[in-house]
Amino acid sequence: MPQGEHIELHRKRYGRQLDHEERTRKKEARSVKKRSAMAQRTLGIKGKMLAKERAKEKATMRKTIAMHEERDKQHKADDGAKGSAVPAYLLEREQVERAKVLSNTIKQKRKEKAGKWEVPLPKVRPVAEEEMFKVMRSGKRKKKEWKRMVTKVTFVPPGFTRKPPKYERFIRPTGLRMTKAHVTHPELKATFQLEIIGVKKNPNGQAYTGLGVITKGTIIEVNVSELGLVTPGGKVVWGKYAQVTNNPENDGCINAVLLV
C-alpha cells in the first residue's frame, strides 16, 4: 500500500490541524524570501539554470499582463438576450462600455511593492546630509561627535519611547515631530486633516525613511477612515498613501496630495 494512501486515509478520518490554512498561507508568503535567498546563494551552472527559469516566468507574466491590458479599449456591449426587441430610436445607437480588467489592480500592487507611484511631484531636490543632520558634541573631545540631531520634521508612532541619552545616536526633537497632515483629495477638491500612520518612502534614501523624516516629495500613509472611502468589494479603506507637497520644516505643517 503506497504511503500517499495512508496520508489520505488519515486526513479522511481525523481531518487536518486547526490552523492548517493559516500555516499554509504563511509558508507560501515566506517562500518568496526563501527563493530569493537561494537564488543569491546559488552559483555556477545551477545559478544560471535558476536565473533562466526565473526569466521565463517573468516573460510569461509580462505576456499575460499585456494580454489583459484593456482598460482604454472600448467594445460593444451585449444587448441582453438574443432576439429581444429594441425600440426604433435605439437601433442606430451603439452602447459602448469601458472594459474593466483585474490586471490593472495587479499592476498597481506591483508598482506599490516596487515603491513606484504616479505622484504629483515626480522629481524633488535632494537634501544633503549636512542640511539634514546637525552634529552634536557629546563630550570634551572632538572624537566624541557621533550624535546627530535631525533638523527636519519627523514622524514617530504613538507608543514611541526614546533610548537613554547615552545610547541615542539620532535625536528627533519633540518640537519637530508631527502626527497630522493636511491632505487634499484631487477629485473631491477638498482638504482634510488626517492622522499619519507611517512614512512609506522618503526620496532621499532608506535611512531617512527608517528615521521617519518627512521632507518635500515623501510618500506618507494617512488614516482615511473618516472620509468613508470604499473598495469595489464594499470594504472601508483605512489607510491610503499621500505625497508631501511643501517643506514642513519651513511652514510648520504638512500639506499633502492623496494618491488616488
Side-chain angles (χ1 to χ4, degrees), residues 153-191:
V153 168
T154 55
F155 167 77
V156 292
F160 171 77
T161 51
R162 283 179 63 181
K163 285 183 182 177
K166 189 177 177 181
Y167 305 110
E168 193 175 32
R169 172 155 165 66
F170 294 103
I171 301 164
R172 289 174 278 187
T174 315
L176 285 172
R177 291 183 197 172
M178 292 190 187
T179 54
K180 294 196 175 182
H182 303 124
V183 182
T184 305
H185 197 294
E187 290 174 5
L188 298 175
K189 305 289 183 191
T191 304

Side-chain angles (χ1 to χ4, degrees), residues 14-42:
Y14 305 108
R16 294 179 183 270
Q17 285 181 321
L18 294 172
D19 59 344
H20 171 75
E21 285 78 13
E22 184 66 13
R23 285 163 72 97
T24 311
R25 183 188 65 77
K26 284 184 177 178
K27 191 177 180 182
E28 196 177 335
R30 285 196 302 268
S31 66
V32 183
K33 290 186 178 180
K34 195 176 178 183
R35 191 176 177 185
S36 169
M38 194 180 77
Q40 287 175 44
R41 276 201 312 267
T42 314

